[in-house]
């Protein structure tokens, strides 16, 4: 069944066939939404057709994805997605929330949410027989591409700012990608990647540019949907007094705006299939020093004005977000909002999540920092169930992690010295 019909521009609404365009709208540069044949999908599939698939990875949603198959079964490409959800009971109590969970995306094969996008792009590259895939990256998207590409023997090139955390650069190199560190910002690397892709005929994965990235990211929404059904089932069994219809609120950290757009797209797909009655509320969280999308949301406009980004959360440090319009809509169309967070609170969130057993990189902890602010200001009430995403592992940025904690003392190897310290 050919379910991939083509693309629709998110700005002007023009529709394109699957081979007519590759990246963005030729008329206005708008991000392209992948269009699926929902009529055929509705006729052919029920939620139980997904639930009965035994594959725990994101490929369990293959019937709802715009690729016919995925290369590399039994490789790390096959392990993307299927991330766990943990109850954060102590945090919930402290914040006055009855139901608080965290979906830990750091458990992906290369330790960030970006594996979802790269998995789909690598599958698409396989279909269009691309020889080389290139991406600009603050580190995670590149590591995800490099890892997924290595898994199937695909050639990858990554352009990252030279300031990318060393652990991320190490990942790129160890996965065997061709790595180029750009003496400039992520935005400089982004623009250079577009030029290089055109010059050398490479297939470009850039976030918020290649329409398949959001298609990979939407699989997180599908997982949340299945998990949420399970939570409801358990509540019914326990005869929980909680109102069945309390909407879920999801907190997501935002840089280019592609994760939040992808998650929004996933829920919109489910709504079109008639598999959910309404959309969950989606709240985007940006660093104060990199808040172009939050600024647009708060000014009630879709015009994204670039900033000069400065934040220690390198993964969400973006001057001009490339998926800004759809990211504004993700919050607006779900009755969500945007929250901005200073770096000091991001560091505090790293430490707090750590005490729950979750090790997050700064951009990963930003969503949780947003939740802390949202509970203090009443943006979320105590009854509303909340799910926070951790989008990346703390092992990716040890320098930032060390800023979030007090250093361990160094002592003489004697019991006396231990006693003195304790
Ligand atoms: C760990 C982490 N969190 C959040 C984001 C933000 O995603 P997006 O740029 O799609 O908004 C990124 C992007 O690189 C990331 O790596
Ligand atoms: Zn357009």
């Amino acid at each position: 069944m050919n379910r991939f019909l083509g693309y629709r521009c998110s700005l002007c609404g023009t529709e394109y066939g699957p081979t007519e365009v590759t990246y963005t709208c030729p008329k206005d540069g708008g991000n392209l939404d992948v269009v699926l044949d929902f009529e055929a999908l509705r006729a052919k599939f029920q939620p139980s057709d997904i639930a009965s698939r035994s594959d725990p990875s994101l490929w369990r949603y293959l019937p709802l994805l715009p690729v016919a198959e995925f290369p590399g079964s039994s490789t790390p490409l096959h392990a993307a997605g299927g991330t766990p959800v943990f109850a954060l009971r102590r945090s919930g109590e402290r914040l006055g929330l009855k139901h608080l969970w965290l979906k830990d995306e750091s458990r992906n094969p290369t330790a960030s949410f970006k594996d979802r996008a790269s998995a789909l792009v690598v599958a698409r590259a396989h279909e269009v027989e691309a020889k080389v895939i290139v991406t600009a990256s603050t580190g995670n998207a590149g590591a995800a591409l490099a890892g997924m590409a290595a898994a199937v023997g695909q050639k990858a090139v990554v352009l990252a700012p030279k300031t990318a955390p060393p652990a991320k650069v190490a990942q790129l190199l160890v996965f065997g990608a061709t790595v180029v560190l750009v003496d400039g910002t992520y935005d400089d690397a982004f623009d250079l990647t577009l030029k290089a892709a055109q010059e050398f005929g490479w297939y470009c994965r850039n976030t918020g540019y290649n329409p398949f990235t959001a298609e990979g990211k939407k699989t997180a929404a599908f997982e949340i949907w299945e998990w949420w059904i399970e939570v409801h089932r358990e509540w019914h069994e326990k005869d929980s007094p909680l109102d069945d219809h309390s909407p879920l609120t999801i907190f997501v950290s935002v840089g280019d705006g592609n994760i939040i757009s992808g998650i929004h797209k996933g829920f919109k797909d489910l709504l079109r299939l008639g598999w959910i009655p309404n959309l969950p509320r989606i709240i985007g969280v940006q660093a104060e020093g990199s808040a172009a999308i939050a600024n647009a949301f708060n000014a009630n406009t879709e015009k994204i004005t670039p900033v000069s980004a400065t934040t220690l959360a390198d993964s969400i440090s973006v001057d001009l977000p490339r998926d800004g319009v759809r990211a504004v809509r993700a919050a607006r169309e779900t009755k969500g909002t945007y929250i901005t967070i200073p770096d000091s609170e991001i560091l505090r969130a790293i430490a707090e999540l750590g005490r729950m057993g979750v090790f997050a990189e700064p951009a990963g902890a930003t969503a949780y920092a947003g939740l802390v602010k949202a509970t203090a200001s009443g943006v979320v009430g105590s009854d509303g169930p909340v799910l926070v995403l951790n989008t990346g592992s703390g092992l990716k940025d040890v320098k930032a992690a060390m800023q979030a904690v007090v250093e361990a003392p160094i002592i003489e190897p004697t019991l006396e010295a231990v006693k003195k310290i304790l």
Side-chain angles (χ1 to χ4, degrees):
M1 170 190 161
N2 180 22
R3 52 191 171 262
F4 174 35
L5 296 182
Y7 308 93
R8 185 181 301 112
C9 173
S10 59
L11 294 185
C12 68
T14 304
E15 298 203 351
Y16 300 96
T19 54
E20 236 178 308
V21 287
T22 309
Y23 302 119
T24 53
C25 177
K27 292 184 185 167
D28 52 20
N31 292 107
L32 297 176
D33 289 319
V34 164
V35 179
L36 299 175
D37 188 346
F38 283 102
E39 219 170 289
L41 287 171
R42 260 197 308 267
K44 182 148 190 219
F45 296 108
Q46 302 287 325
S48 55
D49 293 315
I50 300 293
S52 60
R53 288 169 71 92
S54 57
D55 187 345
S57 80
L58 60 79
W59 299 110
R60 73 192 272 103
Y61 307 108
L62 190 61
L64 308 178
L65 297 174
V67 289
E69 54 171 351
F70 64 93
S73 54
S74 309
T75 70
L77 184 71
H78 195 172
T83 55
V85 176
F86 306 127
L88 296 187
R89 290 203 185 82
R90 271 175 292 132
S91 284
E93 274 166 28
R94 213 169 28 253
L95 297 171
L97 293 169
K98 284 194 191 135
H99 300 285
L100 173 61
W101 297 271
L102 178 137
K103 186 167 174 64
D104 195 359
E105 289 293 313
S106 73
R107 310 291 174 121
N108 273 297
T110 78
S112 88
F113 191 105
K114 300 279 164 156
D115 281 336
R116 296 180 185 274
S118 289
L120 251 282
V121 170
V122 167
R124 175 64 177 169
H126 189 72
E127 284 189 351
V128 299
E129 296 176 4
K131 297 258 178 328
V132 178
I133 312 176
V134 64
T135 196
S137 174
T138 55
N140 285 335
L145 174 64
M148 299 285 126
V152 295
Q154 166 79 50
K155 194 164 167 29
V157 179
V158 180
L159 276 67
K162 71 170 187 189
T163 50
K168 294 181 182 177
V169 178
Q171 267 189 306
L172 299 174
L173 292 165
V174 168
F175 287 138
T178 302
V179 182
V180 184
L181 297 180
V182 177
D183 189 2
T185 63
Y186 165 64
D187 294 75
D188 294 327
F190 194 104
D191 293 336
L192 185 56
T193 303
L194 302 191
K195 288 183 196 150
Q198 186 160 28
E199 178 75 15
F200 305 118
W202 295 339
Y203 184 56
C204 184
R205 178 224 172 274
N206 276 13
T207 297
Y209 180 68
N210 185 316
F212 283 78
T213 58
E215 288 298 298
K217 290 170 177 182
K218 80 179 184 184
T219 58
F222 295 163
E223 287 175 18
I224 293 168
W225 162 65
E226 284 201 273
W227 161 79
W228 191 230
I229 291 172
E230 197 51 31
V231 169
H232 270 247
R233 201 183 53 73
E234 282 171 21
W235 281 348
H236 270 294
E237 273 170 14
K238 284 191 208 142
D239 217 9
S240 161
L242 193 110
D243 175 5
D244 265 355
H245 300 290
S246 291
L248 181 67
T249 301
I250 302 170
F251 281 77
V252 189
S253 58
V254 175
D256 268 317
N258 193 243
I259 290 181
I260 196 169
S261 302
I263 290 174
H264 186 210
K265 169 73 158 56
F267 285 113
K268 283 192 295 185
D269 282 2
L270 293 171
L271 196 64
R272 287 201 63 182
L273 287 164
W275 294 1
I276 55 172
N278 40 42
L279 299 173
R281 189 177 175 213
I282 305 177
I283 296 185
V285 189
Q286 292 209 280
E288 259 176 27
S290 177
I293 296 173
N295 293 344
F297 180 89
N298 291 328
N300 203 16
T301 175
E302 289 190 345
K303 188 175 171 332
I304 310 294
T305 307
V307 296
S308 194
T310 48
T311 167
L312 69 81
D314 64 292
S315 301
I316 50 172
S317 184
V318 179
D319 295 349
L320 175 63
R322 310 294 170 143
D323 207 348
V325 174
R326 293 193 302 188
V328 166
R329 290 177 188 167
R332 203 183 60 216
E333 292 175 9
T334 64
K335 301 187 178 65
T337 189
Y338 270 85
I339 292 171
T340 58
I341 294 296
D343 282 0
S344 57
E345 285 174 32
I346 295 174
L347 288 175
R348 206 170 305 142
I350 291 176
E352 202 167 319
L353 283 175
R355 280 180 239 117
M356 302 293 135
V358 176
F359 192 16
E361 70 160 87
T366 299
Y368 182 83
L371 168 67
V372 173
K373 188 167 172 183
T375 50
S377 63
V379 169
V380 290
S382 63
D383 275 353
V386 171
L387 177 72
V388 182
L389 294 189
N390 168 30
T391 42
S393 166
L395 291 171
K396 297 244 191 191
D397 190 350
V398 172
K399 191 165 152 240
M402 290 307 286
Q403 289 178 59
V405 291
V406 178
E407 267 192 50
I410 298 171
I411 59 162
E412 296 290 321
T414 65
L415 192 54
E416 273 313 299
V418 175
K419 283 182 183 165
K420 216 164 153 189
I421 284 291
L422 297 181

